[in-house]
């Protein structure tokens, strides 16, 4: 025991020394023809990985790059076309700090502190927005709300103390927040993904995105020009695509955010549209199923069970055949082992400071302006939420809003959570609540059919 204690500082120093040498070698490869050194970069990633699952994931990436032309094209494009400052920040902040080093620390602290530490935080720095999109999930929040620079600065420091180096921002329109770039520059060791309507990214903003290096915008679109402008306003599609061109020319990394409705699901998942996005330079994307919350909720816009089943098959096909990493926020429950919200893997902070389980569950028991991050992670709402996860044994039904709506009603009642805006409680009752009950039952039947077909194919 005495010997172990005596040598522990030297062992820790050795580990740090090795990690620093590996990082130096990584940066050297990134500076000297990173495409040619792709294999070495991934090998060094395996050396840095502290969890066996991360080593296996890197090995899976290696195999996919070697055997799948679309994934190879995506990887080579990222390494070849990304500005060196952005590439260094992307690799160091997201791949190393957030994933390889951050997640093991989160797991360790979760065990020692007695509450779960998530992978990332979604925060709205401001409620202000220059658009008024029909059906916006955040459309019912107050537009004058804004989090101070000091509170966000303190939040990000608290997050890093817990091993959280990935911050996602929404709003409102984050590029209207006056301190955005100051925060990104001060926390240069963190990765920031920004959901944006894209209309604020002119040449000056595009230059600053590359200058700080750790910001990646994700542009919201509804499909082609007619459909996007119909929901977001005339000329918005043109402004978004022009912003994409600016960022691609400068070597920034950006993605897209698509809301799937029963009216546009075929359009946004078509080969033509996906090819258009990749040609514009999008490297990743998120697809969110329409949820009847926020401004003028309309349950009839939700995907039908048949359309959702189509998505469950179509999105994995796109991932394996197109050079873009595309996530399906609900149907990818099998990859995430169920719902990731409620502090399990992430949670949401509104511009007023209200702490919500996710962007779509508009209920809260705490405000970040009144408590620390550690206190938030021990909140009655998160505790109640997590003890019910997974909400369903079948991970194609992960969500307590659209798949197990009775679960959300129980959580709100048991935790004493309050709605964060007028009308938020409508998701639990009345016309919207009844629709969700019916739709969740219909989806459960569709999932049973999917499972039955899988069993038949296996047999």
């Amino acid at each position: 025991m005495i010997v172990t204690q005596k040598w522990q500082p030297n062992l820790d120093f050795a580990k740090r020394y090795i990690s620093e040498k590996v990082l130096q070698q990584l940066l050297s490869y990134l500076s000297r023809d990173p495409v040619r050194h792709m294999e070495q970069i991934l090998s060094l990633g395996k050396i840095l990985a502290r969890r066996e699952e991360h080593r296996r994931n890197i090995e899976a990436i290696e195999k996919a790059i070697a055997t799948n032309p679309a994934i190879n094209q995506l990887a080579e494009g990222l390494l070849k076309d990304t500005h060196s400052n952005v590439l260094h920040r992307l690799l160091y902040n997201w791949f190393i700090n957030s994933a390889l080093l951050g997640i093991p620390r989160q797991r360790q602290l979760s065990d020692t502190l007695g509450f779960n530490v998530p992978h990332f935080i979604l925060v709205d720095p401001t409620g202000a927005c220059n658009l008024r999109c029909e059906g916006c999930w955040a459309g019912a929040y107050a537009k004058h709300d804004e989090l101070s620079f000091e509170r966000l600065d303190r939040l990000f420091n608290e997050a890093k103390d817990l091993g959280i180096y990935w911050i996602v921002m929404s709003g409102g329109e984050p590029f209207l927040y006056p301190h955005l770039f100051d925060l990104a520059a001060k926390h240069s060791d963190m990765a920031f993904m920004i959901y944006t309507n894209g209309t604020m990214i002119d040449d000056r903003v595009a230059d600053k995105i590359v200058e700080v290096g750790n910001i990646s915008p994700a542009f919201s679109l509804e499909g082609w020009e007619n459909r996007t402008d119909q929901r977001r306003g005339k000329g918005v599609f043109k402004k978004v695509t022009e912003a994409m061109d600016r960022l691609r020319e400068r070597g920034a990394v950006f993605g897209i955010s698509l809301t799937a409705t029963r009216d546009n699901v075929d359009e946004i998942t078509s080969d033509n549209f996906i090819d258009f996005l990749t040609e514009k330079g999008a490297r990743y994307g998120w697809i969110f199923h329409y949820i009847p919350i926020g401004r003028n909720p309309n349950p009839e816009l939700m995907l039908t069970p048949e359309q959702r089943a189509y998505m469950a098959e179509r999105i994995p096909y796109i991932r394996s055949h197109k050079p873009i990493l595309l996530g399906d926020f609900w149907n990818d429950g099998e990859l995430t082992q169920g719902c990731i919200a409620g502090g399990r893997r992430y949670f949401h902070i509104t511009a007023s400071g209200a702490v919500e389980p996710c962007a779509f569950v508009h209920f809260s028991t705490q405000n970040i302006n009144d408590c620390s991050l550690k206190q938030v992670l021990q909140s009655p709402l998160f505790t109640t939420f997590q003890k019910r996860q997974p909400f369903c044994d079948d991970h194609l039904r992960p969500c307590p809003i659209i798949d197990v709506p009775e679960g959300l009603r129980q959580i709100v009642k048991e935790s004493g959570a309050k709605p964060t805006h007028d009308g938020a409680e409508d998701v639990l009752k009345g016309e919207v609540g009844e629709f969700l009950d019916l739709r969740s039952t219909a989806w459960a039947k569709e999932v049973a059919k999917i499972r039955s077909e899988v069993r038949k194919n296996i047999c």
Side-chain angles (χ1 to χ4, degrees), residues 298-370:
N298 180 5
E300 294 297 331
L301 284 176
M302 291 182 67
L303 296 173
T304 67
E306 295 76 16
Q307 288 174 323
R308 188 168 171 184
Y310 157 79
M311 289 269 290
E313 183 176 347
R314 175 63 179 167
I315 302 308
Y317 175 87
I318 292 173
R319 278 199 288 258
S320 62
H321 289 78
K322 304 289 185 182
I324 185 171
L325 185 61
L326 194 61
D328 183 339
F329 200 77
W330 278 268
N331 285 346
D332 279 340
E334 291 183 303
L335 297 178
T336 59
Q337 299 298 292
C339 171
I340 66 173
R344 176 176 172 250
R345 295 292 178 264
Y346 97 106
F347 66 94
H348 178 224
I349 302 173
T350 72
S352 70
V355 179
E356 301 175 337
C358 82
F360 308 100
V361 177
H362 295 180
F363 295 88
S364 179
T365 58
Q366 289 181 295
N367 191 292
I368 197 67
N369 290 312
D370 304 323

Side-chain angles (χ1 to χ4, degrees), residues 149-180:
F149 173 91
E150 291 75 19
R151 185 60 192 100
L152 286 178
D153 180 38
R154 189 163 79 253
L155 173 66
F156 297 163
N157 283 323
E158 290 177 297
K160 287 186 285 189
D161 286 343
L162 296 175
I164 304 170
Y165 285 85
W166 184 13
I167 300 295
V168 180
M169 287 188 175
S170 186
E173 170 49 53
F175 283 99
L176 285 175
Y177 184 64
H179 312 298
L180 176 62

Side-chain angles (χ1 to χ4, degrees), residues 31 35 94-95 102 125 142 153 193 202 237-238 240 265 287-288 314 317 325 328 332 353 377 406 450:
S31 301
V35 173
W94 189 83
F95 184 63
D153 180 38
M193 191 189 80
D202 55 17
F237 183 86
K238 185 173 184 293
V240 170
V265 62
I287 294 188
F288 299 93
R314 175 63 179 167
Y317 175 87
L325 185 61
D328 183 339
D332 279 340
L377 296 177
E406 184 57 32
I450 293 172

